[in-house]
Short mmCIF file of all heavy atoms in Angstrom, two decimals:
data_model
loop_
_atom_site.label_atom_id
_atom_site.label_comp_id
_atom_site.label_asym_id
_atom_site.label_seq_id
_atom_site.Cartn_x
_atom_site.Cartn_y
_atom_site.Cartn_z
N MET A 338 -3.38 69.45 -75.96
CA MET A 338 -3.54 69.43 -74.50
C MET A 338 -2.68 70.56 -73.90
O MET A 338 -1.61 70.83 -74.45
CB MET A 338 -3.10 68.09 -73.94
CG MET A 338 -4.08 66.97 -74.21
SD MET A 338 -3.59 65.43 -73.48
CE MET A 338 -2.28 64.97 -74.59
N PRO A 339 -3.16 71.14 -72.89
CA PRO A 339 -2.37 72.22 -72.26
C PRO A 339 -1.17 71.71 -71.51
O PRO A 339 -1.24 70.69 -70.83
CB PRO A 339 -3.37 72.88 -71.28
CG PRO A 339 -4.33 71.75 -70.92
CD PRO A 339 -4.40 70.91 -72.19
N ILE A 340 -0.07 72.42 -71.68
CA ILE A 340 1.11 72.06 -70.94
C ILE A 340 1.42 73.15 -69.92
O ILE A 340 1.47 74.32 -70.26
CB ILE A 340 2.34 71.91 -71.89
CG1 ILE A 340 2.04 70.81 -72.91
CG2 ILE A 340 3.60 71.59 -71.08
CD1 ILE A 340 3.18 70.67 -73.90
N TYR A 341 1.56 72.75 -68.68
CA TYR A 341 1.81 73.75 -67.61
C TYR A 341 3.17 73.49 -66.96
O TYR A 341 3.63 72.36 -66.88
CB TYR A 341 0.71 73.65 -66.56
CG TYR A 341 -0.65 74.01 -67.05
CD1 TYR A 341 -1.63 73.04 -67.13
CD2 TYR A 341 -0.96 75.27 -67.43
CE1 TYR A 341 -2.91 73.34 -67.58
CE2 TYR A 341 -2.22 75.62 -67.90
CZ TYR A 341 -3.21 74.65 -67.96
OH TYR A 341 -4.42 74.96 -68.41
N GLY A 342 3.75 74.57 -66.54
CA GLY A 342 5.01 74.47 -65.79
C GLY A 342 4.73 74.57 -64.32
O GLY A 342 3.86 75.34 -63.90
N TYR A 343 5.43 73.79 -63.54
CA TYR A 343 5.20 73.82 -62.09
C TYR A 343 6.55 73.85 -61.35
O TYR A 343 7.56 73.35 -61.84
CB TYR A 343 4.45 72.53 -61.64
CG TYR A 343 2.98 72.52 -62.03
CD1 TYR A 343 2.61 71.94 -63.20
CD2 TYR A 343 2.04 73.14 -61.22
CE1 TYR A 343 1.29 71.93 -63.60
CE2 TYR A 343 0.72 73.11 -61.57
CZ TYR A 343 0.34 72.48 -62.75
OH TYR A 343 -0.99 72.48 -63.14
N GLU A 344 6.45 74.43 -60.17
CA GLU A 344 7.60 74.32 -59.26
C GLU A 344 7.16 73.66 -58.00
O GLU A 344 6.15 74.04 -57.40
CB GLU A 344 8.09 75.74 -58.97
CG GLU A 344 9.27 75.73 -57.94
CD GLU A 344 9.83 77.10 -57.67
OE1 GLU A 344 9.49 78.05 -58.35
OE2 GLU A 344 10.57 77.21 -56.71
N CYS A 345 7.89 72.61 -57.63
CA CYS A 345 7.53 71.86 -56.44
C CYS A 345 7.86 72.66 -55.20
O CYS A 345 9.00 73.15 -55.05
CB CYS A 345 8.33 70.53 -56.42
SG CYS A 345 7.96 69.51 -54.99
N LYS A 346 6.90 72.79 -54.33
CA LYS A 346 7.14 73.57 -53.09
C LYS A 346 7.93 72.73 -52.06
O LYS A 346 8.39 73.25 -51.08
CB LYS A 346 5.79 73.97 -52.46
CG LYS A 346 5.05 75.02 -53.33
CD LYS A 346 3.74 75.38 -52.61
CE LYS A 346 3.01 76.46 -53.45
NZ LYS A 346 1.74 76.88 -52.79
N LYS A 347 7.98 71.45 -52.32
CA LYS A 347 8.66 70.57 -51.38
C LYS A 347 10.13 70.41 -51.65
O LYS A 347 10.98 70.58 -50.76
CB LYS A 347 7.98 69.20 -51.39
CG LYS A 347 8.40 68.28 -50.25
CD LYS A 347 7.55 67.05 -50.18
CE LYS A 347 7.94 66.17 -49.06
NZ LYS A 347 7.12 64.94 -48.98
N CYS A 348 10.47 70.13 -52.92
CA CYS A 348 11.88 69.91 -53.24
C CYS A 348 12.45 71.02 -54.11
O CYS A 348 13.66 71.06 -54.38
CB CYS A 348 12.10 68.53 -53.86
SG CYS A 348 11.49 68.38 -55.55
N GLY A 349 11.57 71.86 -54.65
CA GLY A 349 12.05 72.99 -55.44
C GLY A 349 12.30 72.71 -56.88
O GLY A 349 12.70 73.63 -57.61
N SER A 350 12.10 71.50 -57.32
CA SER A 350 12.33 71.18 -58.72
C SER A 350 11.24 71.79 -59.60
O SER A 350 10.12 71.96 -59.16
CB SER A 350 12.40 69.69 -58.92
OG SER A 350 11.16 69.09 -58.70
N THR A 351 11.61 72.10 -60.83
CA THR A 351 10.61 72.65 -61.78
C THR A 351 10.45 71.67 -62.90
O THR A 351 11.40 70.95 -63.28
CB THR A 351 11.05 74.03 -62.32
OG1 THR A 351 12.33 73.88 -62.94
CG2 THR A 351 11.14 75.04 -61.24
N PHE A 352 9.23 71.61 -63.40
CA PHE A 352 8.99 70.69 -64.49
C PHE A 352 7.76 71.12 -65.28
O PHE A 352 7.04 72.00 -64.80
CB PHE A 352 8.75 69.25 -63.94
CG PHE A 352 7.58 69.13 -63.00
CD1 PHE A 352 6.34 68.72 -63.49
CD2 PHE A 352 7.68 69.52 -61.69
CE1 PHE A 352 5.23 68.64 -62.67
CE2 PHE A 352 6.57 69.41 -60.82
CZ PHE A 352 5.34 68.97 -61.31
N GLN A 353 7.59 70.55 -66.43
CA GLN A 353 6.42 70.86 -67.25
C GLN A 353 5.65 69.56 -67.47
O GLN A 353 6.29 68.51 -67.66
CB GLN A 353 6.85 71.46 -68.58
CG GLN A 353 7.56 72.80 -68.42
CD GLN A 353 8.07 73.33 -69.72
OE1 GLN A 353 7.86 72.72 -70.77
NE2 GLN A 353 8.78 74.44 -69.69
N THR A 354 4.36 69.66 -67.49
CA THR A 354 3.59 68.43 -67.67
C THR A 354 2.25 68.73 -68.31
O THR A 354 1.71 69.84 -68.18
CB THR A 354 3.39 67.73 -66.30
OG1 THR A 354 2.73 66.46 -66.53
CG2 THR A 354 2.51 68.57 -65.38
N LEU A 355 1.72 67.73 -68.95
CA LEU A 355 0.41 67.85 -69.49
C LEU A 355 -0.61 67.65 -68.35
O LEU A 355 -0.48 66.78 -67.53
CB LEU A 355 0.12 66.76 -70.54
CG LEU A 355 0.95 66.88 -71.81
CD1 LEU A 355 0.75 65.63 -72.64
CD2 LEU A 355 0.55 68.11 -72.61
N VAL A 356 -1.63 68.55 -68.32
CA VAL A 356 -2.62 68.45 -67.27
C VAL A 356 -4.01 68.42 -67.81
O VAL A 356 -4.42 69.41 -68.45
CB VAL A 356 -2.46 69.61 -66.27
CG1 VAL A 356 -3.52 69.47 -65.17
CG2 VAL A 356 -1.08 69.66 -65.67
N ARG A 357 -4.67 67.34 -67.63
CA ARG A 357 -6.10 67.25 -68.06
C ARG A 357 -6.95 67.85 -66.97
O ARG A 357 -6.60 67.77 -65.80
CB ARG A 357 -6.51 65.81 -68.33
CG ARG A 357 -5.69 65.15 -69.45
CD ARG A 357 -5.99 63.67 -69.46
NE ARG A 357 -5.17 62.94 -70.41
CZ ARG A 357 -5.49 62.69 -71.66
NH1 ARG A 357 -6.67 63.12 -72.09
NH2 ARG A 357 -4.68 62.08 -72.49
N SER A 358 -8.08 68.35 -67.33
CA SER A 358 -8.98 68.96 -66.34
C SER A 358 -9.35 67.91 -65.31
O SER A 358 -9.75 66.79 -65.68
CB SER A 358 -10.20 69.60 -66.99
OG SER A 358 -10.96 68.60 -67.60
N GLY A 359 -9.32 68.28 -64.08
CA GLY A 359 -9.72 67.35 -63.02
C GLY A 359 -8.56 66.52 -62.49
O GLY A 359 -8.72 65.85 -61.48
N GLU A 360 -7.42 66.60 -63.17
CA GLU A 360 -6.29 65.83 -62.69
C GLU A 360 -5.30 66.74 -61.94
O GLU A 360 -5.18 67.90 -62.25
CB GLU A 360 -5.54 65.19 -63.84
CG GLU A 360 -6.34 64.06 -64.49
CD GLU A 360 -5.53 63.30 -65.51
OE1 GLU A 360 -4.40 63.72 -65.77
OE2 GLU A 360 -6.01 62.31 -66.03
N THR A 361 -4.64 66.12 -61.00
CA THR A 361 -3.65 66.86 -60.21
C THR A 361 -2.23 66.33 -60.50
O THR A 361 -2.02 65.14 -60.36
CB THR A 361 -3.90 66.74 -58.69
OG1 THR A 361 -5.22 67.19 -58.40
CG2 THR A 361 -2.90 67.56 -57.87
N PRO A 362 -1.37 67.22 -60.99
CA PRO A 362 -0.02 66.76 -61.33
C PRO A 362 0.78 66.48 -60.06
O PRO A 362 0.52 67.05 -58.99
CB PRO A 362 0.55 67.95 -62.10
CG PRO A 362 -0.18 69.14 -61.59
CD PRO A 362 -1.58 68.64 -61.28
N GLU A 363 1.78 65.63 -60.18
CA GLU A 363 2.66 65.36 -59.09
C GLU A 363 4.09 65.68 -59.48
O GLU A 363 4.45 65.63 -60.65
CB GLU A 363 2.57 63.87 -58.71
CG GLU A 363 1.22 63.43 -58.22
CD GLU A 363 1.24 61.96 -57.82
OE1 GLU A 363 2.24 61.25 -58.11
OE2 GLU A 363 0.23 61.49 -57.28
N CYS A 364 4.85 66.00 -58.46
CA CYS A 364 6.30 66.28 -58.73
C CYS A 364 6.94 64.98 -59.15
O CYS A 364 6.83 63.95 -58.45
CB CYS A 364 6.92 66.78 -57.47
SG CYS A 364 8.74 66.99 -57.57
N PRO A 365 7.64 65.00 -60.32
CA PRO A 365 8.30 63.80 -60.81
C PRO A 365 9.48 63.40 -59.93
O PRO A 365 10.00 62.26 -60.01
CB PRO A 365 8.73 64.17 -62.22
CG PRO A 365 8.87 65.66 -62.18
CD PRO A 365 7.80 66.13 -61.21
N SER A 366 9.97 64.29 -59.13
CA SER A 366 11.14 64.01 -58.32
C SER A 366 10.82 63.43 -56.99
O SER A 366 11.42 62.43 -56.54
CB SER A 366 11.95 65.33 -58.07
OG SER A 366 12.42 65.82 -59.32
N CYS A 367 9.76 64.00 -56.32
CA CYS A 367 9.48 63.51 -54.94
C CYS A 367 7.99 63.09 -54.81
O CYS A 367 7.65 62.57 -53.77
CB CYS A 367 9.83 64.62 -53.97
SG CYS A 367 8.75 66.04 -53.98
N GLY A 368 7.19 63.33 -55.83
CA GLY A 368 5.83 62.87 -55.77
C GLY A 368 4.87 63.79 -55.04
O GLY A 368 3.71 63.51 -54.86
N ALA A 369 5.39 64.96 -54.59
CA ALA A 369 4.55 65.90 -53.86
C ALA A 369 3.50 66.49 -54.78
O ALA A 369 3.70 66.68 -55.98
CB ALA A 369 5.38 66.98 -53.22
N VAL A 370 2.34 66.80 -54.23
CA VAL A 370 1.31 67.48 -55.00
C VAL A 370 1.21 68.96 -54.64
O VAL A 370 0.35 69.66 -55.14
CB VAL A 370 -0.06 66.79 -54.81
CG1 VAL A 370 -0.03 65.38 -55.36
CG2 VAL A 370 -0.45 66.80 -53.35
N GLU A 371 2.09 69.40 -53.74
CA GLU A 371 2.12 70.83 -53.38
C GLU A 371 2.98 71.57 -54.36
O GLU A 371 4.18 71.72 -54.21
CB GLU A 371 2.71 70.95 -51.97
CG GLU A 371 1.80 70.27 -50.93
CD GLU A 371 2.41 70.35 -49.55
OE1 GLU A 371 3.54 70.84 -49.41
OE2 GLU A 371 1.76 69.92 -48.60
N LEU A 372 2.30 72.00 -55.44
CA LEU A 372 3.03 72.58 -56.53
C LEU A 372 2.54 74.03 -56.78
O LEU A 372 1.40 74.35 -56.50
CB LEU A 372 2.80 71.80 -57.81
CG LEU A 372 3.08 70.30 -57.69
CD1 LEU A 372 2.62 69.57 -58.96
CD2 LEU A 372 4.52 70.03 -57.41
N GLU A 373 3.45 74.80 -57.29
CA GLU A 373 3.06 76.19 -57.67
C GLU A 373 3.15 76.29 -59.16
O GLU A 373 4.17 76.05 -59.77
CB GLU A 373 4.01 77.21 -56.99
CG GLU A 373 3.60 78.60 -57.32
CD GLU A 373 4.37 79.63 -56.46
OE1 GLU A 373 5.20 79.23 -55.63
OE2 GLU A 373 4.14 80.83 -56.65
N GLN A 374 2.05 76.65 -59.76
CA GLN A 374 1.97 76.75 -61.19
C GLN A 374 2.73 77.95 -61.71
O GLN A 374 2.61 79.07 -61.19
CB GLN A 374 0.53 76.82 -61.69
CG GLN A 374 0.39 76.68 -63.18
CD GLN A 374 -1.03 76.51 -63.62
OE1 GLN A 374 -1.95 76.34 -62.81
NE2 GLN A 374 -1.28 76.59 -64.87
N GLN A 375 3.55 77.74 -62.69
CA GLN A 375 4.38 78.83 -63.21
C GLN A 375 3.71 79.34 -64.50
O GLN A 375 3.83 78.81 -65.60
CB GLN A 375 5.77 78.28 -63.59
CG GLN A 375 6.47 77.65 -62.41
CD GLN A 375 6.84 78.63 -61.33
OE1 GLN A 375 7.66 79.50 -61.54
NE2 GLN A 375 6.19 78.50 -60.16
N LEU A 376 2.91 80.40 -64.33
CA LEU A 376 2.20 80.98 -65.45
C LEU A 376 3.10 81.71 -66.41
O LEU A 376 2.79 81.92 -67.58
CB LEU A 376 1.13 81.90 -64.94
CG LEU A 376 0.03 81.23 -64.11
CD1 LEU A 376 -0.96 82.27 -63.63
CD2 LEU A 376 -0.72 80.20 -64.94
N SER A 377 4.22 82.14 -65.90
CA SER A 377 5.09 82.98 -66.72
C SER A 377 5.91 82.15 -67.72
O SER A 377 6.42 82.74 -68.69
CB SER A 377 6.02 83.81 -65.83
OG SER A 377 6.87 82.92 -65.09
N LEU A 378 6.08 80.90 -67.53
CA LEU A 378 6.94 80.12 -68.37
C LEU A 378 6.32 79.88 -69.76
O LEU A 378 7.01 79.94 -70.79
CB LEU A 378 7.23 78.77 -67.72
CG LEU A 378 8.12 78.83 -66.47
CD1 LEU A 378 8.33 77.43 -65.94
CD2 LEU A 378 9.44 79.48 -66.80
N ILE A 379 5.06 79.62 -69.76
CA ILE A 379 4.38 79.23 -70.98
C ILE A 379 3.21 80.20 -71.28
O ILE A 379 2.36 80.38 -70.46
CB ILE A 379 3.87 77.78 -70.96
CG1 ILE A 379 5.01 76.86 -70.63
CG2 ILE A 379 3.22 77.41 -72.30
CD1 ILE A 379 4.60 75.40 -70.44
N ALA A 380 3.24 80.76 -72.46
CA ALA A 380 2.18 81.72 -72.81
C ALA A 380 0.86 81.01 -72.98
O ALA A 380 0.76 79.95 -73.55
CB ALA A 380 2.55 82.44 -74.10
N SER A 381 -0.17 81.59 -72.40
CA SER A 381 -1.47 81.04 -72.58
C SER A 381 -2.12 81.49 -73.88
O SER A 381 -2.19 82.65 -74.17
CB SER A 381 -2.35 81.50 -71.42
OG SER A 381 -3.66 80.98 -71.55
N PRO A 382 -2.50 80.53 -74.73
CA PRO A 382 -3.03 80.84 -76.03
C PRO A 382 -4.41 81.48 -75.98
O PRO A 382 -4.83 82.13 -76.94
CB PRO A 382 -3.04 79.50 -76.75
CG PRO A 382 -3.18 78.52 -75.64
CD PRO A 382 -2.43 79.11 -74.45
N ALA A 383 -5.12 81.26 -74.92
CA ALA A 383 -6.47 81.76 -74.87
C ALA A 383 -6.71 82.42 -73.52
O ALA A 383 -7.33 81.81 -72.61
CB ALA A 383 -7.45 80.63 -75.11
N LYS A 384 -6.27 83.63 -73.35
CA LYS A 384 -6.44 84.32 -72.07
C LYS A 384 -7.94 84.64 -71.88
O LYS A 384 -8.58 85.18 -72.79
CB LYS A 384 -5.65 85.59 -72.02
CG LYS A 384 -4.13 85.27 -71.94
CD LYS A 384 -3.32 86.59 -71.81
CE LYS A 384 -1.86 86.25 -71.72
NZ LYS A 384 -1.06 87.51 -71.59
N GLY A 385 -8.48 84.36 -70.74
CA GLY A 385 -9.86 84.68 -70.47
C GLY A 385 -10.78 83.55 -70.85
O GLY A 385 -11.90 83.45 -70.38
N GLY A 386 -10.34 82.67 -71.77
CA GLY A 386 -11.20 81.58 -72.18
C GLY A 386 -11.21 80.50 -71.12
O GLY A 386 -10.19 80.27 -70.46
N GLU A 387 -12.27 79.84 -71.03
CA GLU A 387 -12.34 78.74 -70.04
C GLU A 387 -12.28 77.34 -70.70
O GLU A 387 -11.62 76.49 -70.27
CB GLU A 387 -13.65 78.83 -69.22
CG GLU A 387 -13.67 80.10 -68.36
CD GLU A 387 -14.91 80.14 -67.52
OE1 GLU A 387 -15.82 79.30 -67.71
OE2 GLU A 387 -15.06 81.07 -66.68
N ASP A 388 -13.07 77.25 -71.76
CA ASP A 388 -13.13 75.90 -72.37
C ASP A 388 -12.55 75.92 -73.81
O ASP A 388 -12.76 74.99 -74.54
CB ASP A 388 -14.61 75.47 -72.42
CG ASP A 388 -15.14 75.29 -71.05
OD1 ASP A 388 -14.39 74.84 -70.17
OD2 ASP A 388 -16.33 75.58 -70.82
N SER A 389 -11.89 76.99 -74.14
CA SER A 389 -11.37 77.06 -75.53
C SER A 389 -10.21 76.09 -75.67
O SER A 389 -9.29 76.06 -74.87
CB SER A 389 -10.85 78.48 -75.79
OG SER A 389 -11.91 79.42 -75.67
N PRO A 390 -10.28 75.23 -76.69
CA PRO A 390 -9.19 74.31 -76.95
C PRO A 390 -7.93 75.10 -77.28
O PRO A 390 -7.98 75.99 -78.10
CB PRO A 390 -9.67 73.50 -78.18
CG PRO A 390 -11.13 73.80 -78.29
CD PRO A 390 -11.38 75.10 -77.64
N PRO A 391 -6.81 74.80 -76.66
CA PRO A 391 -5.57 75.49 -76.90
C PRO A 391 -5.03 75.07 -78.27
O PRO A 391 -5.25 73.96 -78.78
CB PRO A 391 -4.65 75.00 -75.81
CG PRO A 391 -5.22 73.66 -75.45
CD PRO A 391 -6.66 73.76 -75.61
N MET A 392 -4.31 75.96 -78.88
CA MET A 392 -3.62 75.73 -80.15
C MET A 392 -4.57 75.36 -81.28
O MET A 392 -4.17 74.77 -82.26
CB MET A 392 -2.60 74.59 -79.97
CG MET A 392 -1.64 74.79 -78.79
SD MET A 392 -0.75 76.37 -78.94
CE MET A 392 0.33 75.96 -80.31
N CYS A 393 -5.80 75.77 -81.15
CA CYS A 393 -6.78 75.45 -82.22
C CYS A 393 -6.98 76.65 -83.11
O CYS A 393 -7.27 77.73 -82.65
CB CYS A 393 -8.10 75.04 -81.61
SG CYS A 393 -9.35 74.66 -82.86
N SER A 394 -6.79 76.47 -84.40
CA SER A 394 -6.99 77.58 -85.35
C SER A 394 -7.92 77.12 -86.43
O SER A 394 -7.47 76.69 -87.54
CB SER A 394 -5.66 77.97 -85.96
OG SER A 394 -4.74 78.27 -84.95
N PRO A 395 -9.24 77.21 -86.18
CA PRO A 395 -10.21 76.79 -87.19
C PRO A 395 -10.04 77.55 -88.48
O PRO A 395 -9.90 78.78 -88.43
CB PRO A 395 -11.56 77.10 -86.51
CG PRO A 395 -11.26 77.16 -85.07
CD PRO A 395 -9.85 77.64 -84.94
N GLY A 396 -10.11 76.87 -89.58
CA GLY A 396 -10.01 77.55 -90.87
C GLY A 396 -11.34 78.10 -91.28
O GLY A 396 -12.33 77.98 -90.58
N PRO A 397 -11.36 78.73 -92.47
CA PRO A 397 -12.60 79.33 -92.96
C PRO A 397 -13.72 78.32 -93.18
O PRO A 397 -14.88 78.64 -93.15
CB PRO A 397 -12.16 79.94 -94.30
CG PRO A 397 -10.88 79.32 -94.65
CD PRO A 397 -10.24 78.89 -93.37
N GLY A 398 -13.35 77.05 -93.36
CA GLY A 398 -14.35 76.04 -93.54
C GLY A 398 -14.90 75.50 -92.27
O GLY A 398 -15.79 74.66 -92.23
N GLY A 399 -14.34 75.97 -91.11
CA GLY A 399 -14.81 75.52 -89.84
C GLY A 399 -14.01 74.33 -89.36
O GLY A 399 -13.61 73.49 -90.10
N GLY A 400 -13.83 74.26 -88.03
CA GLY A 400 -13.21 73.11 -87.41
C GLY A 400 -11.77 72.90 -87.89
O GLY A 400 -11.27 73.53 -88.77
N CYS A 401 -11.12 71.98 -87.20
CA CYS A 401 -9.76 71.57 -87.59
C CYS A 401 -9.50 70.16 -87.15
O CYS A 401 -10.17 69.72 -86.24
CB CYS A 401 -8.72 72.56 -87.01
SG CYS A 401 -8.44 72.39 -85.26
N ALA A 402 -8.57 69.52 -87.80
CA ALA A 402 -8.33 68.10 -87.51
C ALA A 402 -7.83 67.87 -86.05
O ALA A 402 -8.02 66.79 -85.51
CB ALA A 402 -7.30 67.55 -88.49
N GLY A 403 -7.31 68.94 -85.45
CA GLY A 403 -6.77 68.75 -84.13
C GLY A 403 -7.78 68.98 -83.02
O GLY A 403 -7.48 68.75 -81.89
N CYS A 404 -8.96 69.42 -83.39
CA CYS A 404 -9.95 69.66 -82.37
C CYS A 404 -10.50 68.36 -81.76
O CYS A 404 -10.80 67.41 -82.45
CB CYS A 404 -11.16 70.41 -82.96
SG CYS A 404 -10.77 72.15 -83.31
N PRO A 405 -10.63 68.34 -80.41
CA PRO A 405 -11.21 67.19 -79.78
C PRO A 405 -12.72 67.12 -80.03
O PRO A 405 -13.28 68.07 -80.57
CB PRO A 405 -10.95 67.45 -78.29
CG PRO A 405 -10.76 68.95 -78.16
CD PRO A 405 -10.19 69.36 -79.49
N ALA A 406 -13.32 66.09 -79.64
CA ALA A 406 -14.74 65.86 -79.92
C ALA A 406 -15.64 66.90 -79.26
O ALA A 406 -16.78 67.05 -79.65
CB ALA A 406 -15.13 64.45 -79.46
N MET A 407 -15.07 67.56 -78.25
CA MET A 407 -15.87 68.53 -77.51
C MET A 407 -16.35 69.68 -78.38
O MET A 407 -17.28 70.39 -78.01
CB MET A 407 -15.08 69.11 -76.32
CG MET A 407 -14.03 70.09 -76.77
SD MET A 407 -13.31 70.99 -75.39
CE MET A 407 -12.18 69.83 -74.72
N MET A 408 -15.74 69.81 -79.53
CA MET A 408 -16.15 70.91 -80.41
C MET A 408 -17.56 70.69 -80.95
O MET A 408 -18.18 71.58 -81.47
CB MET A 408 -15.15 71.04 -81.55
CG MET A 408 -13.83 71.65 -81.12
SD MET A 408 -14.01 73.36 -80.43
CE MET A 408 -14.45 74.24 -81.92
N GLY A 409 -18.06 69.52 -80.86
CA GLY A 409 -19.44 69.34 -81.25
C GLY A 409 -19.57 68.26 -82.26
O GLY A 409 -20.65 68.03 -82.75
ZN1 ZN B 621 9.27 67.69 -55.45
#
């Protein structure tokens, strides 16, 4: 699952959290949803990709144990 870093625009705290598509993270300190995503903190494994599973390294035999069912 992708881990994103955020900075709360309300209280200024920074945190990292798992974010599933369609979900909106909240500030763990004050509960605000007005957050600024910190792209610089964590390197994106798949730049330009939209649906590519992160951290997935399929071997020569295809697929990997860590791949979600979305792989097919
Ligand atoms: Zn906050």
